[in-house]
């Protein structure tokens, strides 16, 4: 069997998982246009860092962007400078360059899930846990977005994997004369990385797990093996320099915006993302597919084994943070992603012990077929609605995905559950290829900024400058120039009157004010092209006219 061959040794397992990740994550990675709004805000801030040479401050055009620390921007800047040095033309406006840290973080998180799982299960069980992470819908999305979350998952998994090794060693009564520096070094370095990526959030995952373990064991003696004094000093060496520099640059503004304006505001319904408790549990059946059916079957056995050291550690990682996220009003699907490795490892342990539930939960195996079937229909219907085309090249991929999902469901047995999971992973890969690789790149109307930028590249004048009215999405700034002015119709007319080689990108709802102001100042202009599209951020159709000045009367 290919799986047994691929997992026959440690290095074969690592290679097998890496190749699987590439198959799952690369479709669409290079071809899906920039997605508004968060992804483009990160990418544009990084682009400005490289343009200005200022790697301390974080800005989107002239506005400060202090919601997150600097870690992901440095990683994206390193990717941009590397790709530019390799001679890739126009690297600064290729969104896939800024997605590279997310791709690396996602692959790294899968490999770290494997490494962490080795402390709990056999090598094949660890590979199965890693495959659940690699194929899960949520990580597939985050691997393709130039944001913080895939890298945060990487740091959290590294920290918890290192902590697990020390904790389980203590539980086994091992007392080595010279404890290894490896796990503590990984732990504290991962904490520092997580803080630079997303502030103190990583401390919540680690801290809540430690509090629960201390309560259950009535002891924290094991934590002394984590070299806390040296580790804390190392953490401060890594994180303090930038925090000091940004404080000297911006004073208390950064901390007010990141902690008060971003983190604490999530206790309420930030940016209309409020939802009641229980939402993450509902979303889990989609976001953790195809591992979700097995996780449901494993749940009763996991709960019975909750006082065993391994299960106790993983549940301490999972449950308290999950409760916090369910209680907080602001809810976005990716918030719980750092908890998914614990679920994957717990599921792999139950699968390895052959203790999956034999009750009605077994009916959940139909979910392996239901998601490809329903997902295929939704994607095709969405494509027809967006571009009025059925996207036939994706149909064979979706059809074969449904076949593999059906096989996973119909051939499921408790004693051969691995076989069903592997078939479901293949179905996930085919769904990713069809959705991300074929359908999304063809939805040109959903990405009007790309069409606007393409139209501006056809002009013959040197150094074109643009102003946008009505359509003010960050992708427009990223795809054109940092200097692109975001204004209203009147402002676009004034901008157009100020010189040659200027263009006004006016959304239809702003055209009236543009025309009125142009008439008032005697501006002569013509329309180069009109681009019809759909603003996915606002959920409405847009029509953008590109005007060019012909001088004033």
């Amino acid at each position: 069997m290919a799986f047994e061959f691929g997992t026959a040794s440690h290095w074969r397992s690592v290679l097998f998982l890496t190749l699987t990740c590439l198959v799952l994550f690369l479709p669409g990675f290079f071809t899906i246009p920039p997605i508004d709004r968060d992804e483009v805000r990160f990418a544009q801030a990084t682009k400005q860092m490289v343009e200005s040479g200022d790697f301390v401050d974080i800005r989107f055009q002239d506005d400060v962007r202090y919601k997150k620390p600097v870690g992901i921007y440095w990683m994206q800047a390193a990717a941009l400078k590397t790709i530019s040095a390799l001679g890739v033309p126009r690297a600064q406006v290729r969104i896939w360059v800024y997605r590279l840290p997310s791709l690396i973080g996602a692959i790294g998180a899968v490999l770290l899930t494997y490494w962490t799982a080795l402390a709990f299960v056999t090598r094949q069980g660890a590979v199965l846990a890693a495959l659940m992470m690699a194929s899960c819908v949520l990580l597939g999305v985050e691997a393709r977005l130039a944001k913080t979350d895939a890298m945060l998952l990487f740091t959290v998994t590294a920290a918890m994997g290192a902590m697990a090794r020390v904790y389980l060693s203590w539980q086994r009564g091992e007392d080595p004369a010279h404890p290894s520096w490896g796990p503590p070094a990984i732990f504290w370095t991962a904490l520092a990385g997580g803080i630079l990526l997303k502030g103190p959030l990583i401390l919540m995952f680690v801290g809540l797990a430690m509090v629960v373990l201390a309560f259950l064991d009535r002891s924290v003696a094991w934590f002394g093996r984590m070299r806390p004094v040296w580790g804390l000093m190392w953490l401060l060496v890594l994180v303090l320099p930038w925090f000091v520099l940004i404080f000297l640059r911006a004073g208390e503004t950064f901390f007010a915006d990141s902690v008060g304006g971003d983190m604490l505001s999530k206790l309420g319904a930030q940016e209309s993302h409020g939802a009641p408790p229980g939402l993450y549990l509902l979303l889990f059946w989609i976001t953790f597919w195809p591992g979700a059916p097995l996780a449901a079957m494993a749940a009763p056995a996991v709960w019975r084994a909750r006082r065993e050291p391994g299960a106790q550690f993983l549940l301490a990682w999972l449950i308290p943070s999950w409760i916090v996220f369910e209680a907080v009003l602001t809810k976005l699907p990716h918030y719980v992603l750092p908890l998914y490795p614990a679920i994957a490892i717990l599921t792999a342990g139950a699968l390895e012990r052959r203790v999956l539930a034999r009750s009605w939960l077994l009916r959940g195996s139909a979910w392996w077929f239901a998601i490809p079937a329903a997902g295929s229909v939704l994607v095709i219907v969405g494509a027809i609605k967006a571009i009025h085309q059925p996207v036939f090249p994706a149909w064979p991929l979706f059809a074969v995905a449904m076949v593999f999902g059906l096989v996973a469901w119909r051939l499921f047995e408790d004693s051969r559950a691995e076989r069903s999971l592997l078939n479901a992973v293949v179905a996930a890969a085919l769904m990713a290829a069809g959705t991300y690789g074929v359908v999304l790149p063809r939805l040109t109307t959903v990405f009007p900024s790309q069409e606007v930028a393409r139209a501006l590249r056809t002009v013959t004048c040197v150094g074109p400058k643009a102003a946008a009215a009505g359509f003010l999405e960050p992708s427009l700034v990223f795809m054109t120039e940092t200097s692109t002015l975001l204004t209203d119709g009147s402002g676009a007319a004034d901008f157009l009157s100020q010189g040659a080689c200027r263009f006004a990108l006016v959304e239809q709802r702003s055209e009236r004010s543009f025309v009125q102001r142009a008439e008032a100042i005697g501006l002569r202009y013509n329309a180069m092209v009109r681009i019809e599209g759909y603003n996915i951020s606002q959920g409405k159709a847009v029509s953008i006219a590109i005007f060019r000045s012909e001088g004033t009367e």
Side-chain angles (χ1 to χ4, degrees):
M1 186 178 178
F3 176 73
E4 293 173 348
F5 175 80
T7 59
S9 69
H10 173 70
W11 291 111
R12 280 189 190 179
S13 299
V14 170
L15 179 61
F16 170 71
L17 289 171
T18 302
L19 293 176
T20 302
C21 286
L22 293 175
V23 170
L24 286 160
F25 298 154
L26 285 185
F29 182 85
F30 299 98
T31 53
I32 297 174
I35 297 177
D36 286 306
R37 296 184 174 117
D38 282 352
E39 176 181 55
V40 188
R41 286 170 175 162
F42 279 106
Q44 176 60 28
T46 299
K47 181 182 169 188
Q48 290 182 215
M49 269 190 175
V50 175
E51 289 173 346
S52 66
D54 184 349
F55 294 93
V56 174
D57 207 6
I58 308 168
R59 290 182 175 270
F60 181 93
Q61 294 192 306
D62 294 328
D63 297 329
V64 296
R65 181 167 168 77
Y66 290 161
K67 288 188 174 184
K68 302 290 186 294
V70 78
I72 196 65
Y73 303 101
W74 282 350
M75 294 177 188
Q76 291 179 355
L80 176 57
K81 293 179 78 69
T82 300
I83 297 300
S84 298
L86 293 174
V88 175
R90 301 176 56 252
Q92 72 277 10
V93 292
R94 297 185 185 274
I95 191 62
W96 63 264
V97 174
Y98 303 85
R99 291 170 177 164
L100 286 173
S102 293
L103 176 65
I104 294 169
I107 295 173
V110 170
L111 296 179
L112 282 172
T113 300
Y114 166 72
W115 174 72
T116 302
L118 288 173
F120 300 89
V121 295
T122 66
R123 183 170 58 247
Q124 285 199 347
V127 171
L128 291 172
L131 283 176
M132 290 183 221
M133 285 301 301
S135 58
C136 84
V137 171
L138 186 54
L139 185 56
V141 171
E142 294 301 330
R144 294 173 172 85
L145 292 176
K147 294 165 57 248
T148 56
D149 299 287
M151 265 296 174
L152 178 67
L153 173 66
F154 175 86
T155 59
V156 171
T157 309
M160 297 304 293
M163 194 165 81
R165 278 165 165 71
V166 173
Y167 175 78
L168 294 177
S169 174
W170 174 77
Q171 282 281 11
R172 291 191 295 267
E174 298 173 0
D175 189 16
H178 302 287
S180 171
W181 278 87
I186 294 171
F187 176 80
W188 294 104
T189 303
L191 283 189
I195 291 171
L196 285 173
L197 283 166
K198 215 162 183 175
L201 187 60
I202 190 173
L203 301 179
M204 183 193 79
F205 297 115
V206 172
L208 287 178
M210 289 178 57
V211 168
V212 170
L213 292 173
F215 174 79
L216 294 175
D217 294 329
R218 302 293 191 270
S219 174
V220 292
W222 62 271
F223 191 68
R225 303 184 184 187
M226 298 296 292
R227 318 272 184 161
V229 175
W230 288 104
L232 185 59
M233 291 172 60
W234 173 239
L235 182 148
L236 294 176
V237 165
L238 293 176
V239 304
L240 270 186
W242 179 78
F243 282 101
V244 171
L245 289 173
I246 196 64
F247 178 77
L248 294 175
R249 177 73 62 86
E252 297 178 357
T253 304
F254 169 78
F255 299 97
D257 287 356
S258 63
V259 178
D262 185 53
M263 182 167 292
L264 294 182
S265 66
K266 286 182 170 58
L267 297 175
Q270 186 188 43
E271 299 176 354
S272 303
H273 295 311
L279 177 67
Y280 288 120
L281 184 60
L282 290 175
L283 291 177
F284 173 80
W285 305 107
I286 297 173
T287 57
F288 194 63
W289 186 88
L294 284 180
M297 299 174 204
V302 167
W303 186 247
R304 289 194 298 270
R306 63 188 179 276
R307 293 314 302 267
E308 295 180 11
Q312 180 171 285
F313 179 90
L314 293 168
L315 290 172
W317 176 357
L318 169 63
I319 293 177
S321 293
W322 191 288
I323 291 173
V324 169
F325 285 128
E326 292 283 17
V328 170
L329 288 180
T330 299
K331 290 182 172 63
L332 288 171
H334 60 262
Y335 286 176
V336 295
L337 181 58
L339 307 179
Y340 281 8
I343 299 174
I345 298 169
L346 285 166
T347 303
L351 189 155
E352 198 169 67
R353 293 185 181 187
R354 309 297 179 197
V355 290
L356 298 178
R358 299 294 302 174
S359 64
W360 60 271
L361 289 174
L362 283 178
R363 299 174 186 173
S365 59
W367 205 237
W368 281 319
F369 172 71
I371 290 294
S376 300
V377 171
L378 289 174
V379 170
I380 292 170
V381 170
I384 293 173
K385 182 178 180 180
I387 60 175
H388 309 293
Q389 294 180 17
V391 198
F392 286 122
W395 286 32
L397 294 169
F398 291 151
V400 179
M402 285 189 279
V403 169
F404 274 94
L406 182 63
V407 170
W409 170 30
R410 301 306 298 173
L411 297 185
F412 176 77
E413 299 175 14
D414 182 36
S415 60
R416 297 294 300 276
E418 298 94 336
R419 180 177 56 181
S420 287
L421 177 61
L422 292 174
N423 278 284
V425 169
V426 174
L430 291 164
M431 288 296 296
T435 303
Y436 302 119
V438 178
V439 176
L440 282 180
R442 295 175 183 232
L443 302 183
T444 53
T445 58
V446 180
F447 307 104
S449 295
Q450 181 174 245
E451 300 305 310
V452 171
R454 184 177 289 117
L456 289 179
R457 287 199 296 270
T458 65
V459 302
T460 56
C461 61
V462 178
K465 297 183 181 298
F471 184 75
L472 308 178
E473 295 301 324
S475 58
L476 195 60
V477 177
F478 176 76
M479 294 295 292
T480 54
E481 292 289 341
T482 299
S483 60
T484 296
L485 176 66
L486 304 181
T487 182
D488 56 15
S490 297
D494 290 335
F495 174 87
L496 208 58
S497 69
Q498 293 170 10
C501 202
R502 288 179 175 242
F503 301 85
L505 320 173
V506 184
E507 207 279 322
Q508 191 170 34
R509 296 171 182 83
S510 299
E511 282 190 35
R512 182 177 180 181
S513 61
F514 171 81
V515 171
Q516 290 174 341
R517 180 59 180 168
E519 291 177 352
I521 62 178
L523 175 67
R524 292 183 292 111
Y525 59 89
N526 62 44
M528 289 175 49
V529 66
R530 180 174 292 275
I531 295 169
E532 306 292 337
Y534 189 82
N535 188 336
I536 194 170
S537 299
Q538 297 183 357
K540 62 184 181 182
V542 294
S543 178
I544 304 168
I546 303 181
F547 296 108
R548 182 171 184 171
S549 172
E550 292 184 344
T552 54
E553 298 176 351

